[in-house]
Amino acid sequence: MFIDPEFGEVVIRKNSRSRSVSFSVATSGRLQATIPSFVSERTVKKTLEQMRDQIRQKLDTKDPTTQRARDAKKKLLMKQAREYLPYRLEYFAKRFGYHYDKVVLSHASSRWGSCTHRKSSLLSPTTITISLNIGLMQVPEAQRDYVIIHELAHINHPDHSKAFWAEVESHDPNYRAHREFLNTHSPGV
């Protein structure tokens, strides 16, 4: 990351599949440079200077004051999420007999949560990771609980089959209303 006088903080994201430097707006609202692994920060700055006019036209640059407010809100939500979501997840997992290996708190722009089944090798056991969005701290508790139950149900059903929805409904009879509420809100900050 580096500071540009016009665009503020520029987030650098290295990607081994990238072939050139490209610019976009990160979910945080900051300018993001996606670069090949071998490219230096100096090269990113030089490319930014060469493309400044194009970037200005392409991107809706954010007011630094707005960005600071968003950063502060994100920091507060992360603190609240750390203090609440892992314990609420553990509570429901124990109550309904689920087992997961890891919980991750994220700030995805479009997902409230996810459940990942991952094997590091053919012989290793499957690792189950539940990811929960810090944006859940902005919605009522019933909707938070629905997302947690939804992700826990994915431990047994990695799809959205009838069996999956029946399992969700057995733990949250009002899941349809909770789901509808979340579909009209965004997890982004």
Side-chain angles (χ1 to χ4, degrees), residues 7 48-58:
F7 298 117
L48 176 64
E49 283 307 317
Q50 293 168 348
M51 298 179 70
R52 190 170 291 279
D53 289 336
Q54 291 169 305
I55 293 168
R56 233 182 258 123
Q57 289 172 359
K58 250 184 172 178

Side-chain angles (χ1 to χ4, degrees), residues 41-72:
E41 185 176 306
R42 183 173 166 223
T43 303
V44 175
K45 288 178 180 178
K46 188 176 175 183
T47 307
L48 176 64
E49 283 307 317
Q50 293 168 348
M51 298 179 70
R52 190 170 291 279
D53 289 336
Q54 291 169 305
I55 293 168
R56 233 182 258 123
Q57 289 172 359
K58 250 184 172 178
L59 304 176
D60 176 53
T61 56
K62 305 291 181 191
D63 176 1
T65 307
T66 305
Q67 187 57 52
R68 280 193 294 276
R70 173 186 256 149
D71 290 346

Side-chain angles (χ1 to χ4, degrees), residues 13-22 33-39:
R13 199 176 126 242
K14 292 194 177 210
N15 184 333
S16 60
R17 293 178 296 179
S18 290
R19 294 181 179 267
S20 62
V21 176
S22 65
T34 302
I35 65 171
S37 306
F38 57 85
V39 171

Side-chain angles (χ1 to χ4, degrees), residues 104-120:
V104 173
L105 299 176
S106 72
H107 182 245
S109 60
S110 61
R111 288 180 182 242
W112 291 104
S114 66
C115 176
T116 309
H117 298 248
R118 191 163 282 143
K119 278 184 152 232
S120 56

